[in-house]
Amino acid sequence: MKTRVCIIGAGPAGLLLGHLLRAEGVECVVIERQTPDYILGRIRAGVLEEITVSLMARLGLDARLRAEGLPHGGFNLADGERLIRIDIADLTGKQVVVYGQTELTRDLMAAREERGLEVVYEAADVALHDVESDAPFVTYTKDGTEHRVDARFVVGCDGFHGPSRKAIPAGVAKEYLREYPFGWLGILADVPPCNHELIYANHERGFALASMRSESRSRYYVDVPLTDRVEEWSDERLWDELAIRLGPEAAAHMTRGPAIEKSIAPLRSYVFAPMRHGSLLLCGDAAHIVPPTGAKGLNLAASDVHYAAEALTGYFRRNDAEAIAAYSDTALARVWKSERFSWSLTRLMHRFPEDGPFERAMQVAELDYIASSRAAQTAIAENYVGLPV
Ligand code: APR
Ligand code: PHB
């Protein structure tokens, strides 16, 4: 098969890019290892920045997002006793939308046929070839047959474990990694949220987050040592821990219910640079990971995809290779700022095992400063709502 852009991975990044290219008349195909059902079974974060919402709107695929998404004009930082509200709407004039990443992926998936976006699911042994040349190609096997896709560009949207990043030689790349000494234990339950806005809590027993998917579905997290196993956390134990860490006010409004999903995810910050090598571009988790504090993962993937779509469209429409050459620098400038914000919010809201009284005093001082300063709140709000693209 011959196409202009071969996209690897049909997560939110790959599907969003495929739709944006199709909307501009750029021929492309998406190659994915898993089945659609497997992908829709993954539970991920659920806070959308303006860039993500506006890309869905530009594609005309935002009907359900507008109907079911919950606009949030603020969120809260809990520090033992008090709740510090960050009034995003007042401080930035913008808002975020609470809408599950799984639902956004479902909407992109559902529009494949109508928009003529070709996605090959259950493709095994995906491999990239000749990415340094102007004629790269991708091979895969499906139903026992080997296939080859020739393209002008390959875009790796295949997440942290995919093959794309590995096709860039170690000598030209640099990796930046910070691993955190804890993971997030998450629970999804069909119960009303304890608060109409998100609460990020720093309690002496550890971090907690109260989030939601809808008026009747809640998502909560606590941080746990990496050695904990999910079997050690009965629903009851987890609800008890959430009630303590989120504080009495939230606990009083918390409805308990059986877990629909419960899992532990490690936290890491990771950046791979450059995000382009020859004819290969990387987008989303294939190039970087953020800890979930701040919910930047999907939104960063969306901004990468936005830059990649503009660059690829410019190349095929106007024969303009400049934005392709600049893609890595353009995307990384925003990636690093999101990395910084996710890291600093993680640092502020978690109790690190290595922290002593000084580090704790720094957290208290910073939370005090945030509580008393509109400037400090504005800095948090503009990062939370999403920096400009
Ligand atoms: N061949 C083909 N596809 C692959 C391969 C492979 N060898 N390896 C991985 N993939 C697919 C995965 O199955 C997955 O569907 O690539 C896709 C990557 O999707 P995600 O991991 O969801 O990554 P991305 O699309 O970049 O989404 C950004 O936002 O909230 C964050 O980390 C979260 O997934 C999230 C991300
Ligand atoms: C979620 O709802 O899953 C969620 C919300 C905010 C975060 C992380 C996860 O920062």
Short mmCIF file of all heavy atoms in Angstrom, two decimals, residues 169-226:
data_model
loop_
_atom_site.label_atom_id
_atom_site.label_comp_id
_atom_site.label_asym_id
_atom_site.label_seq_id
_atom_site.Cartn_x
_atom_site.Cartn_y
_atom_site.Cartn_z
N PRO A 169 18.06 6.45 16.24
CA PRO A 169 19.32 5.94 16.80
C PRO A 169 19.69 6.63 18.11
O PRO A 169 19.49 7.84 18.26
CB PRO A 169 20.36 6.25 15.71
CG PRO A 169 19.62 6.80 14.55
CD PRO A 169 18.22 7.07 14.92
N ALA A 170 20.21 5.84 19.05
CA ALA A 170 20.55 6.37 20.38
C ALA A 170 21.51 7.55 20.29
O ALA A 170 21.41 8.50 21.07
CB ALA A 170 21.15 5.25 21.21
N GLY A 171 22.39 7.53 19.31
CA GLY A 171 23.40 8.57 19.19
C GLY A 171 22.84 9.97 18.95
O GLY A 171 23.46 10.96 19.31
N VAL A 172 21.64 10.07 18.33
CA VAL A 172 21.10 11.40 18.02
C VAL A 172 20.08 11.86 19.06
O VAL A 172 19.61 12.99 19.00
CB VAL A 172 20.44 11.45 16.61
CG1 VAL A 172 21.42 11.02 15.54
CG2 VAL A 172 19.18 10.59 16.55
N ALA A 173 19.74 10.98 20.00
CA ALA A 173 18.64 11.32 20.91
C ALA A 173 19.13 11.49 22.34
O ALA A 173 20.19 11.02 22.73
CB ALA A 173 17.60 10.23 20.86
N LYS A 174 18.31 12.19 23.12
CA LYS A 174 18.60 12.32 24.54
C LYS A 174 17.32 12.00 25.30
O LYS A 174 16.23 12.41 24.91
CB LYS A 174 19.05 13.76 24.82
CG LYS A 174 19.61 13.93 26.20
CD LYS A 174 20.51 15.14 26.31
CE LYS A 174 21.00 15.19 27.75
NZ LYS A 174 21.85 16.28 28.07
N GLU A 175 17.47 11.26 26.40
CA GLU A 175 16.31 10.92 27.22
C GLU A 175 16.43 11.59 28.58
O GLU A 175 17.50 11.61 29.17
CB GLU A 175 16.24 9.40 27.43
CG GLU A 175 15.87 8.64 26.18
CD GLU A 175 15.78 7.15 26.46
OE1 GLU A 175 16.85 6.53 26.62
OE2 GLU A 175 14.67 6.62 26.51
N TYR A 176 15.30 12.11 29.06
CA TYR A 176 15.25 12.74 30.38
C TYR A 176 14.22 11.98 31.19
O TYR A 176 13.07 11.86 30.77
CB TYR A 176 14.80 14.19 30.25
CG TYR A 176 15.67 15.04 29.34
CD1 TYR A 176 15.49 15.01 27.96
CD2 TYR A 176 16.65 15.88 29.86
CE1 TYR A 176 16.27 15.80 27.12
CE2 TYR A 176 17.43 16.67 29.03
CZ TYR A 176 17.24 16.62 27.66
OH TYR A 176 18.01 17.40 26.82
N LEU A 177 14.63 11.46 32.32
CA LEU A 177 13.71 10.61 33.10
C LEU A 177 13.74 10.96 34.57
O LEU A 177 14.80 11.15 35.16
CB LEU A 177 14.11 9.14 32.92
CG LEU A 177 13.36 8.12 33.78
CD1 LEU A 177 11.89 8.03 33.39
CD2 LEU A 177 14.01 6.73 33.68
N ARG A 178 12.55 11.06 35.18
CA ARG A 178 12.43 11.19 36.63
C ARG A 178 11.35 10.21 37.05
O ARG A 178 10.21 10.30 36.59
CB ARG A 178 12.02 12.63 36.99
CG ARG A 178 11.55 12.81 38.42
CD ARG A 178 12.72 12.74 39.38
NE ARG A 178 12.47 13.47 40.61
CZ ARG A 178 12.21 12.88 41.78
NH1 ARG A 178 12.12 11.56 41.86
NH2 ARG A 178 12.04 13.61 42.86
N GLU A 179 11.72 9.24 37.88
CA GLU A 179 10.71 8.30 38.38
C GLU A 179 10.34 8.71 39.80
O GLU A 179 11.19 9.20 40.55
CB GLU A 179 11.25 6.88 38.33
CG GLU A 179 11.22 6.36 36.90
CD GLU A 179 11.86 5.01 36.71
OE1 GLU A 179 12.98 4.82 37.22
OE2 GLU A 179 11.24 4.16 36.04
N TYR A 180 9.10 8.52 40.16
CA TYR A 180 8.63 8.94 41.49
C TYR A 180 8.49 7.71 42.38
O TYR A 180 8.17 6.62 41.88
CB TYR A 180 7.31 9.71 41.37
CG TYR A 180 7.46 10.97 40.54
CD1 TYR A 180 7.30 10.94 39.16
CD2 TYR A 180 7.84 12.17 41.13
CE1 TYR A 180 7.49 12.08 38.39
CE2 TYR A 180 8.04 13.31 40.38
CZ TYR A 180 7.86 13.27 39.00
OH TYR A 180 8.06 14.40 38.24
N PRO A 181 8.69 7.91 43.68
CA PRO A 181 8.71 6.75 44.58
C PRO A 181 7.32 6.30 45.02
O PRO A 181 7.15 5.84 46.14
CB PRO A 181 9.54 7.26 45.77
CG PRO A 181 9.30 8.74 45.77
CD PRO A 181 9.06 9.16 44.36
N PHE A 182 6.31 6.51 44.18
CA PHE A 182 4.96 6.08 44.52
C PHE A 182 4.14 5.92 43.24
O PHE A 182 4.57 6.38 42.17
CB PHE A 182 4.26 7.09 45.46
CG PHE A 182 4.59 8.52 45.15
CD1 PHE A 182 4.07 9.15 44.03
CD2 PHE A 182 5.46 9.25 45.96
CE1 PHE A 182 4.39 10.47 43.73
CE2 PHE A 182 5.79 10.58 45.65
CZ PHE A 182 5.25 11.17 44.54
N GLY A 183 3.00 5.26 43.36
CA GLY A 183 2.09 5.15 42.23
C GLY A 183 0.73 5.70 42.64
O GLY A 183 0.50 5.98 43.82
N TRP A 184 -0.16 5.84 41.70
CA TRP A 184 -1.54 6.24 42.01
C TRP A 184 -2.44 5.02 41.92
O TRP A 184 -2.48 4.34 40.88
CB TRP A 184 -2.04 7.28 41.02
CG TRP A 184 -1.67 8.70 41.33
CD1 TRP A 184 -0.67 9.15 42.15
CD2 TRP A 184 -2.30 9.87 40.77
NE1 TRP A 184 -0.64 10.52 42.14
CE2 TRP A 184 -1.62 11.00 41.31
CE3 TRP A 184 -3.35 10.07 39.88
CZ2 TRP A 184 -1.99 12.30 40.98
CZ3 TRP A 184 -3.70 11.37 39.55
CH2 TRP A 184 -3.03 12.48 40.10
N LEU A 185 -3.13 4.77 43.02
CA LEU A 185 -4.16 3.73 43.04
C LEU A 185 -5.48 4.42 42.72
O LEU A 185 -5.91 5.31 43.45
CB LEU A 185 -4.20 3.10 44.44
CG LEU A 185 -5.40 2.24 44.80
CD1 LEU A 185 -5.48 1.00 43.90
CD2 LEU A 185 -5.33 1.81 46.26
N GLY A 186 -6.11 4.03 41.61
CA GLY A 186 -7.33 4.70 41.17
C GLY A 186 -8.54 3.81 41.33
O GLY A 186 -8.45 2.58 41.20
N ILE A 187 -9.68 4.41 41.61
CA ILE A 187 -10.95 3.66 41.66
C ILE A 187 -12.00 4.42 40.85
O ILE A 187 -12.11 5.65 40.94
CB ILE A 187 -11.42 3.42 43.12
CG1 ILE A 187 -12.74 2.64 43.14
CG2 ILE A 187 -11.58 4.72 43.90
CD1 ILE A 187 -13.14 2.14 44.53
N LEU A 188 -12.73 3.67 40.04
CA LEU A 188 -13.85 4.23 39.28
C LEU A 188 -15.11 3.60 39.85
O LEU A 188 -15.15 2.38 40.04
CB LEU A 188 -13.67 3.86 37.81
CG LEU A 188 -14.62 4.48 36.77
CD1 LEU A 188 -14.35 5.97 36.63
CD2 LEU A 188 -14.43 3.81 35.41
N ALA A 189 -16.12 4.41 40.16
CA ALA A 189 -17.33 3.86 40.76
C ALA A 189 -18.55 4.66 40.32
O ALA A 189 -18.46 5.87 40.12
CB ALA A 189 -17.22 3.87 42.28
N ASP A 190 -19.68 3.96 40.18
CA ASP A 190 -20.92 4.65 39.80
C ASP A 190 -21.60 5.25 41.02
O ASP A 190 -22.63 4.75 41.49
CB ASP A 190 -21.83 3.69 39.02
CG ASP A 190 -21.45 3.68 37.55
OD1 ASP A 190 -20.95 4.73 37.06
OD2 ASP A 190 -21.61 2.65 36.89
N VAL A 191 -20.99 6.30 41.51
CA VAL A 191 -21.54 7.06 42.65
C VAL A 191 -21.37 8.54 42.33
O VAL A 191 -20.45 8.91 41.58
CB VAL A 191 -20.78 6.73 43.97
CG1 VAL A 191 -21.06 5.30 44.42
CG2 VAL A 191 -19.28 6.95 43.83
N PRO A 192 -22.24 9.41 42.86
CA PRO A 192 -22.08 10.83 42.58
C PRO A 192 -20.77 11.37 43.19
O PRO A 192 -20.36 10.90 44.25
CB PRO A 192 -23.29 11.48 43.26
CG PRO A 192 -24.13 10.39 43.79
CD PRO A 192 -23.39 9.11 43.70
N PRO A 193 -20.12 12.33 42.52
CA PRO A 193 -18.88 12.90 43.07
C PRO A 193 -19.12 13.58 44.43
O PRO A 193 -20.22 14.05 44.70
CB PRO A 193 -18.49 13.96 42.02
CG PRO A 193 -19.30 13.68 40.82
CD PRO A 193 -20.51 12.93 41.23
N CYS A 194 -18.07 13.63 45.26
CA CYS A 194 -18.20 14.22 46.60
C CYS A 194 -18.20 15.75 46.53
O CYS A 194 -18.55 16.42 47.49
CB CYS A 194 -17.09 13.73 47.52
SG CYS A 194 -15.45 14.33 47.06
N ASN A 195 -17.77 16.28 45.39
CA ASN A 195 -17.67 17.74 45.25
C ASN A 195 -17.91 18.06 43.78
O ASN A 195 -17.61 17.23 42.92
CB ASN A 195 -16.26 18.19 45.69
CG ASN A 195 -16.14 19.70 45.79
OD1 ASN A 195 -16.97 20.36 46.40
ND2 ASN A 195 -15.10 20.25 45.19
N HIS A 196 -18.44 19.25 43.47
CA HIS A 196 -18.71 19.54 42.06
C HIS A 196 -17.44 19.88 41.28
O HIS A 196 -17.44 19.92 40.06
CB HIS A 196 -19.77 20.65 41.92
CG HIS A 196 -19.28 21.98 42.39
ND1 HIS A 196 -19.09 22.26 43.73
CD2 HIS A 196 -18.93 23.09 41.72
CE1 HIS A 196 -18.65 23.50 43.84
NE2 HIS A 196 -18.54 24.01 42.64
N GLU A 197 -16.34 20.12 42.01
CA GLU A 197 -15.05 20.36 41.34
C GLU A 197 -14.01 19.38 41.86
O GLU A 197 -14.17 18.78 42.92
CB GLU A 197 -14.57 21.78 41.62
CG GLU A 197 -15.40 22.84 40.94
CD GLU A 197 -14.97 24.26 41.29
OE1 GLU A 197 -14.21 24.45 42.26
OE2 GLU A 197 -15.41 25.17 40.58
N LEU A 198 -12.88 19.27 41.13
CA LEU A 198 -11.81 18.36 41.56
C LEU A 198 -11.14 18.87 42.83
O LEU A 198 -11.02 20.07 43.05
CB LEU A 198 -10.74 18.23 40.46
CG LEU A 198 -11.00 17.14 39.41
CD1 LEU A 198 -12.28 17.38 38.63
CD2 LEU A 198 -9.82 17.02 38.45
N ILE A 199 -10.70 17.93 43.67
CA ILE A 199 -9.92 18.28 44.87
C ILE A 199 -8.61 17.47 44.83
O ILE A 199 -8.63 16.24 44.80
CB ILE A 199 -10.67 17.93 46.17
CG1 ILE A 199 -12.05 18.61 46.21
CG2 ILE A 199 -9.83 18.33 47.39
CD1 ILE A 199 -12.91 18.16 47.40
N TYR A 200 -7.48 18.17 44.83
CA TYR A 200 -6.16 17.56 44.97
C TYR A 200 -5.75 17.79 46.42
O TYR A 200 -5.65 18.94 46.85
CB TYR A 200 -5.12 18.22 44.06
CG TYR A 200 -5.35 18.05 42.57
CD1 TYR A 200 -6.25 18.85 41.87
CD2 TYR A 200 -4.63 17.10 41.85
CE1 TYR A 200 -6.42 18.71 40.50
CE2 TYR A 200 -4.80 16.96 40.47
CZ TYR A 200 -5.70 17.76 39.80
OH TYR A 200 -5.88 17.62 38.45
N ALA A 201 -5.49 16.70 47.18
CA ALA A 201 -5.22 16.86 48.61
C ALA A 201 -3.82 16.38 48.98
O ALA A 201 -3.38 15.32 48.55
CB ALA A 201 -6.25 16.09 49.42
N ASN A 202 -3.15 17.20 49.81
CA ASN A 202 -1.87 16.81 50.40
C ASN A 202 -2.12 16.61 51.89
O ASN A 202 -2.24 17.56 52.65
CB ASN A 202 -0.83 17.91 50.16
CG ASN A 202 0.51 17.59 50.81
OD1 ASN A 202 0.58 16.83 51.78
ND2 ASN A 202 1.57 18.18 50.29
N HIS A 203 -2.24 15.34 52.30
CA HIS A 203 -2.53 15.00 53.69
C HIS A 203 -1.31 14.32 54.28
O HIS A 203 -0.49 13.77 53.52
CB HIS A 203 -3.74 14.05 53.72
CG HIS A 203 -4.23 13.73 55.09
ND1 HIS A 203 -3.74 12.67 55.82
CD2 HIS A 203 -5.16 14.33 55.87
CE1 HIS A 203 -4.35 12.64 57.00
NE2 HIS A 203 -5.23 13.63 57.05
N GLU A 204 -1.18 14.33 55.59
CA GLU A 204 0.03 13.72 56.17
C GLU A 204 0.14 12.23 55.85
O GLU A 204 1.23 11.66 55.84
CB GLU A 204 0.11 13.96 57.68
CG GLU A 204 -1.03 13.38 58.46
CD GLU A 204 -0.90 13.63 59.97
OE1 GLU A 204 0.10 14.23 60.38
OE2 GLU A 204 -1.81 13.20 60.70
N ARG A 205 -0.99 11.59 55.52
CA ARG A 205 -0.95 10.17 55.12
C ARG A 205 -0.66 10.00 53.64
O ARG A 205 -0.47 8.89 53.17
CB ARG A 205 -2.28 9.49 55.46
CG ARG A 205 -2.52 9.35 56.95
CD ARG A 205 -3.92 8.86 57.21
NE ARG A 205 -4.14 7.51 56.74
CZ ARG A 205 -4.01 6.43 57.51
NH1 ARG A 205 -3.63 6.56 58.76
NH2 ARG A 205 -4.24 5.24 57.01
N GLY A 206 -0.67 11.12 52.91
CA GLY A 206 -0.34 11.04 51.49
C GLY A 206 -1.32 11.82 50.62
O GLY A 206 -2.22 12.50 51.11
N PHE A 207 -1.14 11.67 49.31
CA PHE A 207 -1.92 12.40 48.31
C PHE A 207 -3.29 11.75 48.09
O PHE A 207 -3.43 10.53 48.21
CB PHE A 207 -1.13 12.39 47.00
CG PHE A 207 -1.89 12.91 45.81
CD1 PHE A 207 -1.99 14.26 45.56
CD2 PHE A 207 -2.52 12.02 44.93
CE1 PHE A 207 -2.68 14.75 44.46
CE2 PHE A 207 -3.22 12.50 43.82
CZ PHE A 207 -3.29 13.87 43.60
N ALA A 208 -4.28 12.56 47.76
CA ALA A 208 -5.56 12.03 47.28
C ALA A 208 -6.13 12.98 46.24
O ALA A 208 -5.86 14.18 46.28
CB ALA A 208 -6.55 11.87 48.43
N LEU A 209 -6.88 12.41 45.31
CA LEU A 209 -7.56 13.23 44.30
C LEU A 209 -9.00 12.76 44.17
O LEU A 209 -9.26 11.56 44.04
CB LEU A 209 -6.85 13.09 42.94
CG LEU A 209 -7.58 13.64 41.70
CD1 LEU A 209 -7.87 15.13 41.80
CD2 LEU A 209 -6.75 13.37 40.43
N ALA A 210 -9.92 13.72 44.24
CA ALA A 210 -11.33 13.43 43.97
C ALA A 210 -11.64 13.99 42.59
O ALA A 210 -11.53 15.19 42.37
CB ALA A 210 -12.21 14.09 45.02
N SER A 211 -11.99 13.10 41.66
CA SER A 211 -12.34 13.54 40.32
C SER A 211 -13.65 12.86 39.91
O SER A 211 -14.30 12.20 40.74
CB SER A 211 -11.20 13.22 39.35
OG SER A 211 -11.52 13.65 38.04
N MET A 212 -14.02 13.02 38.67
CA MET A 212 -15.31 12.47 38.22
C MET A 212 -15.31 12.25 36.73
O MET A 212 -14.44 12.74 36.01
CB MET A 212 -16.42 13.47 38.58
CG MET A 212 -16.30 14.76 37.80
SD MET A 212 -17.28 16.11 38.47
CE MET A 212 -16.32 16.60 39.89
N ARG A 213 -16.31 11.50 36.26
CA ARG A 213 -16.54 11.34 34.84
C ARG A 213 -17.89 11.94 34.44
O ARG A 213 -18.10 12.31 33.31
CB ARG A 213 -16.52 9.85 34.46
CG ARG A 213 -15.16 9.21 34.53
CD ARG A 213 -14.23 9.73 33.43
NE ARG A 213 -12.89 9.21 33.60
CZ ARG A 213 -11.97 9.77 34.38
NH1 ARG A 213 -12.25 10.88 35.03
NH2 ARG A 213 -10.78 9.25 34.50
N SER A 214 -18.82 11.97 35.41
CA SER A 214 -20.15 12.53 35.16
C SER A 214 -20.78 12.80 36.52
O SER A 214 -20.15 12.59 37.55
CB SER A 214 -21.01 11.53 34.37
OG SER A 214 -21.30 10.40 35.19
N GLU A 215 -22.05 13.24 36.51
CA GLU A 215 -22.75 13.51 37.77
C GLU A 215 -22.98 12.23 38.57
O GLU A 215 -23.30 12.27 39.76
CB GLU A 215 -24.12 14.16 37.50
CG GLU A 215 -24.08 15.41 36.63
CD GLU A 215 -23.52 16.63 37.33
OE1 GLU A 215 -23.04 16.49 38.48
OE2 GLU A 215 -23.53 17.72 36.73
N SER A 216 -22.84 11.08 37.91
CA SER A 216 -23.14 9.83 38.61
C SER A 216 -21.96 8.86 38.60
O SER A 216 -22.10 7.72 39.01
CB SER A 216 -24.36 9.16 37.96
OG SER A 216 -24.09 8.93 36.59
N ARG A 217 -20.82 9.30 38.09
CA ARG A 217 -19.64 8.42 38.07
C ARG A 217 -18.43 9.18 38.61
O ARG A 217 -18.09 10.26 38.12
CB ARG A 217 -19.38 7.91 36.65
CG ARG A 217 -18.18 6.98 36.58
CD ARG A 217 -18.09 6.27 35.24
NE ARG A 217 -19.03 5.16 35.14
CZ ARG A 217 -19.01 4.24 34.18
NH1 ARG A 217 -18.11 4.31 33.21
NH2 ARG A 217 -19.89 3.27 34.16
N SER A 218 -17.78 8.57 39.62
CA SER A 218 -16.65 9.24 40.27
C SER A 218 -15.34 8.51 40.00
O SER A 218 -15.32 7.30 39.79
CB SER A 218 -16.85 9.28 41.79
OG SER A 218 -18.03 9.97 42.10
N ARG A 219 -14.27 9.28 40.03
CA ARG A 219 -12.92 8.73 39.89
C ARG A 219 -12.09 9.30 41.04
O ARG A 219 -12.04 10.53 41.23
CB ARG A 219 -12.34 9.17 38.54
CG ARG A 219 -10.93 8.66 38.27
CD ARG A 219 -10.93 7.21 37.92
NE ARG A 219 -9.64 6.75 37.38
CZ ARG A 219 -9.21 5.49 37.48
NH1 ARG A 219 -9.95 4.59 38.10
NH2 ARG A 219 -8.07 5.13 36.96
N TYR A 220 -11.50 8.42 41.83
CA TYR A 220 -10.68 8.86 42.96
C TYR A 220 -9.31 8.19 42.88
O TYR A 220 -9.17 7.11 42.32
CB TYR A 220 -11.32 8.42 44.29
CG TYR A 220 -12.59 9.14 44.67
CD1 TYR A 220 -13.85 8.60 44.37
CD2 TYR A 220 -12.54 10.33 45.39
CE1 TYR A 220 -15.02 9.24 44.75
CE2 TYR A 220 -13.71 10.97 45.78
CZ TYR A 220 -14.94 10.43 45.45
OH TYR A 220 -16.10 11.06 45.84
N TYR A 221 -8.33 8.85 43.50
CA TYR A 221 -6.98 8.28 43.58
C TYR A 221 -6.37 8.53 44.96
O TYR A 221 -6.66 9.57 45.58
CB TYR A 221 -6.03 8.92 42.57
CG TYR A 221 -6.43 8.82 41.12
CD1 TYR A 221 -7.23 9.81 40.52
CD2 TYR A 221 -5.99 7.77 40.32
CE1 TYR A 221 -7.58 9.73 39.17
CE2 TYR A 221 -6.32 7.70 38.97
CZ TYR A 221 -7.13 8.69 38.40
OH TYR A 221 -7.46 8.61 37.08
N VAL A 222 -5.51 7.61 45.41
CA VAL A 222 -4.57 7.89 46.51
C VAL A 222 -3.19 7.45 46.03
O VAL A 222 -3.08 6.58 45.18
CB VAL A 222 -4.91 7.11 47.81
CG1 VAL A 222 -6.22 7.60 48.44
CG2 VAL A 222 -4.96 5.61 47.58
N ASP A 223 -2.15 8.07 46.58
CA ASP A 223 -0.82 7.56 46.22
C ASP A 223 -0.45 6.44 47.18
O ASP A 223 -0.84 6.44 48.35
CB ASP A 223 0.23 8.67 46.14
CG ASP A 223 0.71 9.15 47.50
OD1 ASP A 223 -0.08 9.12 48.45
OD2 ASP A 223 1.88 9.57 47.60
N VAL A 224 0.27 5.46 46.65
CA VAL A 224 0.66 4.27 47.43
C VAL A 224 2.11 3.93 47.11
O VAL A 224 2.61 4.29 46.03
CB VAL A 224 -0.24 3.04 47.10
CG1 VAL A 224 -1.67 3.28 47.50
CG2 VAL A 224 -0.16 2.67 45.62
N PRO A 225 2.80 3.26 48.03
CA PRO A 225 4.17 2.82 47.71
C PRO A 225 4.15 1.90 46.50
O PRO A 225 3.17 1.17 46.29
CB PRO A 225 4.60 2.04 48.96
CG PRO A 225 3.65 2.45 50.04
CD PRO A 225 2.38 2.85 49.37
N LEU A 226 5.21 1.92 45.72
CA LEU A 226 5.26 1.12 44.48
C LEU A 226 5.20 -0.37 44.76
O LEU A 226 4.89 -1.16 43.87
CB LEU A 226 6.54 1.46 43.71
CG LEU A 226 6.47 2.79 42.96
CD1 LEU A 226 7.84 3.21 42.45
CD2 LEU A 226 5.47 2.70 41.80
#
